[in-house]
Amino acid sequence: MDEVTLKHGRGYMRLRKSDDLIAIRPSSQANVAEVLAHAPADTSEVGTKLDQFQIVRVNNTPAMESTLDNLRDNYLVDAGSHVYHTPNSTAPIVPTGKITVRFTPSSTKEQREQVLAQHKLEIVDQSADEVDGSKVTTYTLRTTPESLNPLKVVQDLQQSDGVVALAEADLAVPGALTIFQIPVDPLLKEQWHLRNTGIQFGDTVGLKADADARVVAAWQRMQSLGSPACVVA
């Protein structure tokens, strides 16, 4: 899948597949140079390692898919994956194949087992957690060679009404992955100088839409509320 939008934390994340990068996890008996010696297309190391995955550039873009499939089948490779990035960044993001899942309290054992069987998932770990005052079981699942793309699996799980309460892909990223959200203060919409919609306290008298300091627009563009290190004199 070239692009996917997933729930992540309290927001949504849009991921796009890289046009020329793939990720390879060599076996313990091999290194990435040995692996690439078996690649059917011209490839080169990028020098980035994410959770045991080495990022590799396929210099012949049309051959990227066939190169990844070929390397996945190589005995020197434990796993291979596409590389993704967000629309606002070229930083590589790699699905590790692990998925965090919580089932709904109303789901039955048979329904949960059906989810695992349908998506060819296996349980790696499970823990008892407390969420909003209720005890829930959090499962760490892992895709298998028979599974679809981990992001496709998560997308399907998130659309599994009545059975899956939470499904999040484990993503290997350089640094911390954060999803920016506009503050939820109910009075924010009345702060016309931050974002002027032309309405304040339900009244349009004396207000001109978009006559503001573009503050909310700046937050959205920078994906941040700013830095405390910046001082406005």
Side-chain angles (χ1 to χ4, degrees), residues 191-198 208-217:
Q191 306 300 309
W192 62 267
H193 56 290
L194 302 181
R195 177 169 58 187
N196 189 350
T197 62
K208 181 179 180 181
D210 297 326
D212 55 46
R214 307 291 193 273
V215 173
V216 173

Side-chain angles (χ1 to χ4, degrees), residues 125-172:
D125 192 18
Q126 64 185 74
S127 60
D129 301 306
E130 186 169 319
V131 178
D132 296 330
S134 301
K135 290 185 178 180
V136 298
T137 301
T138 302
Y139 295 88
T140 300
L141 308 180
R142 179 169 54 203
T143 55
T144 64
E146 291 76 32
S147 302
L148 296 177
N149 181 306
L151 299 185
K152 172 61 176 172
V153 172
V154 170
Q155 184 181 55
D156 290 346
L157 291 176
Q158 291 181 351
Q159 298 171 354
S160 180
D161 294 337
V163 179
V164 177
L166 176 144
E168 288 190 357
D170 180 50
L171 303 173

